[in-house]
Amino acid sequence: MQERIEKFNQMLMDIDRKRIPVGLYHGEMGLCIYFYEVARLTSEKKYSDFADRLLDDVINSVDENSAIEIENGLTGICMGINYLLEKGYTKGNPNHVLKNFDDKIMKTLLFNLIYEKNMTLPAIHILTGKLIYLAVRLQNIKLSKDERWIMQNLIIENINKIESCEIEKFTEPVFFSLADYFTPLYLRLLQQISQLHFYDYKIEKIVEGLSAPLLYRYPLNKANRLLLCSAMNDVAATFSGIKGWKEHIEVLQHRLDIPSVVHEFRNKNIAFFNGLCGLYYLLRKTGMGNEYNDLFLSKITRSDIWDQALASDDALQSSISLYGGLPGVILTYLHILHPNDPVVFFDHVIGQYV
């Protein structure tokens, strides 16, 4: 396995970086995080040096025409940079480094308020990701008073806009997906805003309004069931007086046989975004992870995706995604081998963005 990882990393470092998109999920920002994490886990300086070069590429690539969304755009890049600054992988004050980027994201949120009338669920999904980013930025106690006020008000007005839209907020994806299941994402946003204590009464009322439809929801996909359960559990811990949530969480967890859930993932379905590795971090968050480590290691090492990805440069191109490819899988594999290691990026993602 070590040979595979070293070969993959070398192939990544040799690839023509102009062929790689810039974003967090599938591009250079994601690879930058990957190499910083791998450098720490392996103590290999060549990996941190390469991560430095990737970060320079990302910052130099962002301009006024850059997309905004999390997956391939500026919001995801800012999430990544904020994480690197928080963890000390790179130095700087996030309130200075991210200021121009934050201003552009906030302008799009203001534009959305003024011009977007009848929003679809995919558009609201993208909007929610931007609001989660602002909620993360508001955790920085050194944010200027004016920026804090603007961010808070943009969150308030856009939450009100989401609530005014007549859309189905509870649709479950057919397959397990950490990023495509809107209900847990929205619950996570509400919980994060409640912890900032600037819109408490309204957020509590929104959560109460979600109770009736939520308590009738029972996702068919077992992994999605666990994802919803995790988000509801976090919200219930914040709003302890919500009736019926504790009982429904117990219903969602009842007879949830984790080994059978793991075995439902197909041989190549091991990525973070919608596969086995995403389930691993989700289980870690719910406190059920470590006892299944051997099972996860077995599934990861036996997957055919390794031979497929390492076969050629063209095959490698489809496997470079942090969220959907081998970088996320390798981080998970290394993390399982070092379960007591400090929090890695995907732990951070599960706790804040998913």
Side-chain angles (χ1 to χ4, degrees), residues 103-248:
D103 287 347
K104 184 173 181 182
I105 292 169
M106 289 190 286
K107 284 178 183 177
T108 67
L109 287 168
L110 183 60
F111 181 91
N112 171 80
L113 283 172
I114 297 171
Y115 296 106
E116 291 285 344
K117 301 303 180 184
N118 299 313
M119 298 186 71
T120 62
L121 183 58
I124 290 176
H125 203 132
I126 292 171
L127 171 61
T128 301
K130 297 176 191 176
L131 298 180
I132 287 175
Y133 170 69
L134 291 192
V136 170
R137 290 288 290 118
L138 283 168
Q139 294 171 13
N140 189 308
I141 60 174
K142 294 183 179 180
L143 198 65
S144 75
K145 184 177 179 180
D146 287 345
E147 285 179 305
R148 184 172 299 278
W149 183 86
I150 293 170
M151 287 183 183
Q152 288 176 345
N153 279 275
L154 281 171
I155 288 174
I156 289 170
E157 295 301 325
N158 277 283
I159 285 287
N160 289 337
K161 188 177 185 71
I162 290 172
E163 285 300 304
S164 69
C165 291
E166 296 183 1
I167 58 162
E168 173 54 65
K169 296 186 179 78
F170 304 98
T171 302
E172 176 200 357
V174 175
F175 301 106
F176 171 62
S177 174
L178 289 170
D180 294 334
Y181 193 176
F182 178 73
T183 308
L185 182 75
Y186 191 48
L187 289 175
R188 192 78 65 199
L189 171 63
L190 297 174
Q191 189 240 353
Q192 285 193 30
I193 296 171
S194 71
Q195 292 180 328
L196 295 167
H197 300 297
F198 65 87
Y199 202 35
D200 289 353
Y201 177 77
K202 177 67 174 182
I203 296 300
E204 187 167 0
K205 289 299 179 185
I206 291 173
V207 171
E208 288 175 357
L210 293 174
S211 282
L214 263 180
L215 296 180
Y216 286 99
R217 299 289 157 175
Y218 190 77
L220 297 177
N221 182 287
K222 293 177 183 177
N224 280 336
R225 199 179 307 161
L226 188 64
L227 180 56
L228 178 60
C229 179
S230 172
M232 288 187 68
N233 195 53
D234 286 347
V235 174
T238 303
F239 300 98
S240 56
I242 307 178
K243 294 181 180 180
W245 282 47
K246 180 181 177 181
E247 293 78 8
H248 191 60

Side-chain angles (χ1 to χ4, degrees), residues 29 55 58-59 62 74 77-86 90-103 105 133 137 140 143 147:
M29 187 70 246
L55 184 58
V58 170
I59 292 173
V62 177
L74 189 59
I77 289 170
C78 288
M79 284 180 173
I81 292 173
N82 189 64
Y83 173 77
L84 295 178
L85 291 166
E86 281 185 3
T90 188
K91 293 183 179 180
N93 182 336
N95 300 325
H96 296 155
V97 175
L98 296 171
K99 179 159 191 336
N100 291 337
F101 298 157
D102 287 349
D103 287 347
I105 292 169
Y133 170 69
R137 290 288 290 118
N140 189 308
L143 198 65
E147 285 179 305

